[in-house]
Amino acid sequence: MATESSAELEHVRSYWARMKPMSPIYTFLLDDIVLVSATKGNVKAHLKVLPVHVNSKGTLHGVVSSCLMDWTGGMAIASTGVDNSGLSTDIHTTFVSTAREGDLLEIEGKASKVGASLAFTKIEIRHAVQDGKVVAHGTHTKYVKAK
């Protein structure tokens, strides 16, 4: 899995490295996520679906999709150069299809606006193969006002 290099990508990777140890849920569910690209306001990551990610039916658990919405929204905001991606005020996830253990997911986040108080993001989770079939999409709003 090739990754692109950019100043934004290095900033987001650094932000993730600082944040990850402080978040047990991210460490548990997203330990193997790979940031593959970032430009200002945009991030892309890959996650292989592991046994810990599936529900009793053997498909991607909804909580993992929602966790990805939360994480990716924050990373998209971080890609704008800020050192704090804020606090969640709203996360909306629409479940379109599913994935199974072993599938490779591509997660893409876009910061549509990062203002003085709020940031708005859009996220899409899709199969990295299988013609990019969408698994879920959503929005994430964060309170970003500096203290």
Side-chain angles (χ1 to χ4, degrees):
M1 163 180 3
T3 61
E4 301 170 18
S5 185
S6 68
E8 292 89 355
L9 181 57
E10 292 311 311
H11 178 75
V12 173
R13 284 180 174 160
S14 174
Y15 178 75
W16 173 228
R18 288 190 316 271
M19 186 178 70
K20 185 178 177 181
M22 297 183 292
S23 178
I25 192 67
Y26 283 166
T27 301
F28 179 66
L29 290 176
L30 305 180
D31 193 47
D32 296 324
I33 200 159
V34 177
L35 283 155
V36 294
S37 67
T39 57
K40 187 173 182 175
N42 296 282
V43 295
K44 194 178 287 184
H46 287 166
L47 180 69
K48 184 175 181 180
V49 179
L50 301 173
V52 70
H53 299 135
V54 298
N55 59 25
S56 62
K57 306 284 189 242
T59 60
L60 186 67
H61 199 293
V63 76
V64 176
S65 296
S66 295
C67 181
L68 286 166
M69 295 294 164
D70 184 26
W71 180 85
T72 309
M75 294 301 117
I77 294 166
S79 75
T80 68
V82 299
D83 287 320
N84 182 353
S85 68
L87 303 168
S88 298
T89 62
D90 181 69
I91 299 175
H92 180 81
T93 305
T94 300
F95 305 99
V96 179
S97 67
T98 194
R100 297 198 167 274
E101 184 180 337
D103 289 351
L104 182 63
L105 300 177
E106 181 173 83
I107 307 97
E108 187 169 6
K110 298 179 183 210
S112 356
K113 180 180 179 183
V114 179
S117 297
L118 293 173
F120 303 89
T121 66
K122 296 178 183 179
I123 300 97
E124 186 173 86
I125 303 167
R126 59 185 165 269
H127 288 271
V129 290
Q130 300 176 10
D131 298 325
K133 185 177 177 183
V134 174
V135 173
H137 60 83
T139 58
H140 185 197
T141 305
K142 295 190 89 173
Y143 177 72
V144 295
K145 187 170 185 174
K147 293 180 180 179

